[in-house]
Amino acid sequence: MQSSIRARLIVILTCLLLGSALLQGILLSAHIGSLEALADHWFTVGWSFLLVAGLSIWVVIWIAKDLTRPIEQMTQAAQKIVAGDLGQHVFINRQDELGVLAKSFNHLAETNQRRYQEITASKAQLETVIQNTVSGIFLLDAKGTVFLSNPTAGQILGFDPIADVPDHFSRLTADPKMSQALYDAILAGQPYQQTISITVPAQRVIELHVIPLTAGDRFVAVFYDISEASRLASIRADLVANVSHELKTPVTSIHGFAETLLSDNLVPDSTGRRFVEIIYRESWRLLRLVNDLLDLSYLELDPKAIEKRPVDLTEILHDVVE
Amino acid sequence: MQSSIRARLIVILTCLLLGSALLQGILLSAHIGSLEALADHWFTVGWSFLLVAGLSIWVVIWIAKDLTRPIEQMTQAAQKIVAGDLGQHVFINRQDELGVLAKSFNHLAETNQRRYQEITASKAQLETVIQNTVSGIFLLDAKGTVFLSNPTAGQILGFDPIADVPDHFSRLTADPKMSQALYDAILAGQPYQQTISITVPAQRVIELHVIPLTAGDRFVAVFYDISEASRLASIRADLVANVSHELKTPVTSIHGFAETLLSDNLVPDSTGRRFVEIIYRESWRLLRLVNDLLDLSYLELDPKAIEKRPVDLTEILHDVVE
């Protein structure tokens, strides 16, 4: 059972008064001469004791209230702060230890509130920056748990960035390539960069960067949609391929006819023949150029098609010099 | 002057004891019969009073100590927390109001510490994400004050991201184009996107996105180095231009010689003449193709060179149909 300051004070005071009365009685009786003589006064002594005891208890209750009221005030304020109401303040204007405690308590509450507000504002600022970044961002650990993601990430990968943030990277996207790239990045354990074409939720080309954090097993993944740049690059590549194809037919035709004109001796005039020879030579040059362009286009479409084999450098240099 | 609980208790108790002694004296004297008779006992009464008073003061000092010790303990703990030592805990095991207050105080200190640690960890996580993002990021207001920037921003723009973060965007970079773009973005007041070639601290192409925040006059600027992609795009554009130039000479030459062969009647044979006519026609086709390619290259180098003027669509359609 919980005792109170009041109960404790009353018990102690009652003991003190009883002791004091007993002592006075003993001393008086010793002085008067006999306990019998004192017994004659029991009524008086008893009455006076009861009166003093009553008055004392009243005074003690008053003292106790004076002490417990500020204590209870602070207890309530502390409980309210714990419950989340940080703006608590106790109004206790005293000059004693309780007054000092109340001042310290208020100072503590204010400091805590200020600290909390400052860091909350600072955190909100960082959050705003991440929320408004045009790059998709998320933070994940080696197990693939997603701790943080931003709206852009949701837009690019097709999840609801507010209501439905997946807790694992494999559920970030229905596109297997993105999952695979993240998996590879985590396994690599070092800065990782990859350009990925995703098809879900839409046809997009994204550039993914994954940075492992120095502390712990976490990774920051940042990616942006480079579909537009990639589309332009592919248009340019297609242009080269299409133009090469477009050029090849007339060039081949010119080359063929020039060859026939020469082989069938269809140009008797020596100047005319020289002209046709020039046409033949120039068309040959064009043909090689166009073929080179076509090779380049094929390689751009499939960079793996480059056939690597040992070459004789001396032979190539001889060819060049000749 | 600061009074203490002890002093207050002593004063009150002394008054109580004096009152009690006076009352007992008055009652006794009334009972014994005369004040003179009581005066005979003054030595006894005085002694007993002094003894009781001494004992009482000792008890009161003990009570006061018992009350003020936990109060001072909590005051000190509160002051330490204010000074920054959040892990404070008071060891007060009591069943009274002070015990309840101590429990609430500890609960408050723990809750505050936990809240602070949680939000600090959460803030640190956001900070880590921003620090490790491969995009340059900063947060600025309409006046250009920089509130936040990350290491990537420093790397791209050439300021020390830790020791020397500029406080104004105009000092973020010595490159005027970047400053101008940020200035334009702030003036625009809506999502802004621009590709900028900067030359300080190095030749770089960056893509800048500036998003105005809904709350207040702040802006999140995000930019990434697209130098590599831009270099590839410009290589491709150069390739088209170079190839076109390379093609133009032989094609013009073929076209010219074929024309001369025809106009000077250098091919008497009818089949031969037909062949040269084909060569002439095909080289003409090639020439137009190459000129189109060259036009395309010029436009890519300078998109503003497109000359816009009203055209007669009917005339163009007639040409196409013919």
Side-chain angles (χ1 to χ4, degrees):
Chain A
M1 206 195 85
Q2 180 182 309
S3 78
S4 74
I5 289 175
R6 184 173 61 185
R8 183 182 300 198
L9 285 177
I10 288 172
V11 168
I12 291 168
L13 195 93
T14 311
C15 292
L16 268 181
L17 285 170
L18 272 172
S20 127
L22 202 68
L23 193 71
Q24 274 187 310
I26 290 167
L27 286 171
L28 269 174
S29 72
H31 195 78
I32 289 166
S34 69
L35 270 171
E36 283 79 34
L38 189 71
D40 294 343
H41 304 306
W42 74 265
F43 189 77
T44 312
V45 171
W47 255 114
S48 76
F49 176 74
L50 278 179
L51 233 148
V52 168
L55 181 76
S56 304
I57 286 171
W58 183 80
V59 168
V60 159
I61 288 174
W62 178 78
I63 296 174
K65 211 171 186 178
D66 180 59
L67 288 174
T68 54
R69 208 186 307 109
I71 293 175
E72 281 163 359
Q73 238 177 301
M74 283 188 266
T75 304
Q76 279 170 16
Q79 284 164 351
K80 280 189 192 156
I81 294 175
V82 167
D85 181 1
L86 297 186
Q88 285 294 316
H89 187 91
V90 288
F91 296 95
I92 297 169
N93 189 17
R94 293 168 71 112
Q95 299 297 320
D96 62 1
E97 287 88 345
L98 279 172
V100 175
L101 177 58
K103 229 179 247 170
S104 296
F105 182 90
N106 283 337
H107 196 185
L108 170 62
E110 281 154 24
T111 308
N112 275 335
Q113 190 182 20
R114 188 176 40 72
R115 268 189 197 135
Y116 192 79
Q117 280 169 348
E118 275 171 10
I119 199 166
T120 304
S122 159
K123 189 194 152 200
Q125 181 173 299
L126 296 171
E127 244 161 7
T128 308
V129 168
I130 291 179
Q131 299 295 309
N132 287 280
T133 295
V134 288
S135 314
I137 293 180
F138 40 76
L139 177 68
L140 58 164
D141 72 2
K143 283 179 195 148
T145 318
V146 178
F147 295 97
L148 184 150
S149 71
N150 73 343
T152 312
Q155 272 163 31
I156 298 178
L157 298 182
F159 60 84
D160 184 333
I162 295 148
D164 180 33
V165 177
D167 56 353
H168 194 269
F169 80 78
S170 61
R171 281 185 290 280
L172 278 172
T173 165
D175 193 284
K177 275 197 206 151
M178 181 72 185
S179 294
Q180 185 60 43
L182 283 170
Y183 186 76
D184 291 349
I186 288 172
L187 274 188
Q190 54 189 22
Y192 177 95
Q193 182 179 350
Q194 181 89 4
T195 304
I196 313 158
S197 297
I198 60 169
T199 50
V200 185
Q203 194 83 39
R204 283 198 180 107
V205 182
I206 64 171
E207 182 157 324
L208 170 71
H209 294 257
V210 182
I211 310 280
L213 300 182
T214 43
D217 63 346
R218 299 211 171 171
F219 299 82
V220 175
V222 177
F223 51 100
Y224 20 84
D225 190 339
I226 55 161
S227 303
E228 187 55 26
S230 160
R231 198 178 62 85
L232 285 178
S234 110
I235 288 176
R236 276 217 181 80
D238 285 353
L239 176 74
V240 174
N242 291 338
V243 163
S244 310
H245 274 289
E246 199 74 12
L247 290 169
K248 187 152 189 183
T249 317
V251 170
T252 312
S253 157
I254 290 171
H255 185 68
F257 284 114
E259 194 173 25
T260 313
L261 281 170
L262 291 176
S263 63
D264 290 5
N265 260 321
L266 294 175
V267 191
D269 179 81
S270 71
T271 316
R273 195 179 165 82
R274 200 158 50 81
F275 287 178
V276 177
E277 275 167 0
I278 295 174
I279 290 177
Y280 178 74
R281 218 168 41 238
E282 294 289 273
S283 69
W284 177 238
R285 216 174 108 192
L286 279 175
L287 203 57
R288 277 203 319 203
L289 206 66
V290 169
N291 282 333
D292 284 354
L293 266 183
L294 279 171
D295 285 349
L296 202 71
S297 305
Y298 292 142
L299 286 178
E300 198 153 43
L301 286 173
D302 180 16
K304 283 170 204 148
I306 296 177
E307 187 194 332
K308 289 177 185 168
R309 59 185 166 83
V311 290
D312 186 347
L313 210 60
T314 330
E315 198 180 317
I316 291 175
L317 284 174
H318 266 293
D319 283 359
V320 172
V321 172
E322 275 169 20
Chain B
M1 205 194 86
Q2 179 180 312
S3 80
S4 74
I5 288 176
R6 185 172 63 188
R8 183 182 300 201
L9 284 177
I10 287 171
V11 167
I12 290 168
L13 197 90
T14 312
C15 291
L16 268 182
L17 285 171
L18 273 172
S20 129
L22 200 69
L23 193 70
Q24 274 187 312
I26 291 165
L27 285 172
L28 269 173
S29 73
H31 196 78
I32 289 165
S34 69
L35 270 169
E36 285 77 35
L38 192 72
D40 297 342
H41 304 304
W42 73 266
F43 189 77
T44 311
V45 172
W47 257 115
S48 79
F49 178 75
L50 278 180
L51 232 151
V52 169
L55 180 76
S56 301
I57 285 171
W58 183 80
V59 169
V60 159
I61 288 175
W62 178 77
I63 295 175
K65 211 172 189 177
D66 180 58
L67 287 174
T68 54
R69 207 187 306 112
I71 292 174
E72 281 163 1
Q73 240 176 300
M74 284 188 267
T75 304
Q76 278 169 19
Q79 284 164 355
K80 280 188 191 159
I81 294 176
V82 167
D85 181 1
L86 296 187
Q88 286 293 316
H89 187 92
V90 288
F91 296 94
I92 296 169
N93 189 16
R94 291 168 73 110
Q95 299 297 318
D96 61 2
E97 286 88 344
L98 278 172
V100 175
L101 177 59
K103 229 179 247 172
S104 295
F105 182 89
N106 283 337
H107 197 184
L108 170 62
E110 282 155 23
T111 308
N112 275 336
Q113 190 181 19
R114 188 175 40 73
R115 270 191 198 133
Y116 192 79
Q117 280 169 349
E118 276 172 8
I119 200 165
T120 305
S122 160
K123 188 194 152 197
Q125 183 173 298
L126 295 171
E127 244 161 9
T128 310
V129 167
I130 291 178
Q131 299 296 308
N132 287 279
T133 294
V134 287
S135 313
I137 293 179
F138 41 76
L139 178 68
L140 59 163
D141 71 3
K143 284 179 193 147
T145 318
V146 177
F147 295 97
L148 185 151
S149 72
N150 73 343
T152 312
Q155 273 164 31
I156 297 178
L157 298 182
F159 61 84
D160 184 331
I162 294 148
D164 180 33
V165 177
D167 57 353
H168 194 268
F169 81 80
S170 61
R171 283 184 289 279
L172 278 172
T173 166
D175 193 283
K177 277 196 206 154
M178 181 70 183
S179 294
Q180 185 59 45
L182 283 170
Y183 186 75
D184 291 349
I186 288 172
L187 274 189
Q190 55 189 22
Y192 177 96
Q193 182 179 349
Q194 180 89 4
T195 304
I196 313 158
S197 298
I198 60 169
T199 50
V200 185
Q203 194 83 40
R204 284 198 180 107
V205 182
I206 64 170
E207 181 158 325
L208 170 71
H209 294 257
V210 182
I211 309 279
L213 299 182
T214 43
D217 63 345
R218 299 211 171 172
F219 299 82
V220 175
V222 177
F223 50 99
Y224 22 84
D225 191 339
I226 55 161
S227 304
E228 186 56 25
S230 159
R231 199 178 62 86
L232 285 177
S234 107
I235 287 176
R236 276 218 183 80
D238 286 353
L239 176 76
V240 173
N242 291 339
V243 163
S244 309
H245 274 288
E246 198 72 15
L247 290 169
K248 186 152 188 180
T249 317
V251 168
T252 313
S253 154
I254 291 170
H255 186 69
F257 285 114
E259 195 171 25
T260 313
L261 282 169
L262 291 176
S263 63
D264 291 5
N265 261 320
L266 294 175
V267 190
D269 180 79
S270 71
T271 315
R273 192 175 167 83
R274 200 157 49 80
F275 287 178
V276 177
E277 274 167 2
I278 294 174
I279 291 178
Y280 177 74
R281 221 171 36 240
E282 295 289 273
S283 68
W284 178 237
R285 218 173 107 192
L286 279 176
L287 202 59
R288 276 203 320 203
L289 207 64
V290 170
N291 281 334
D292 284 353
L293 267 182
L294 279 172
D295 285 348
L296 204 70
S297 306
Y298 291 140
L299 285 180
E300 198 151 44
L301 286 174
D302 180 15
K304 285 170 204 150
I306 296 178
E307 188 195 329
K308 289 177 186 168
R309 57 184 167 85
V311 290
D312 186 347
L313 210 62
T314 329
E315 199 180 316
I316 293 175
L317 284 173
H318 265 293
D319 284 0
V320 172
V321 170
E322 273 168 22

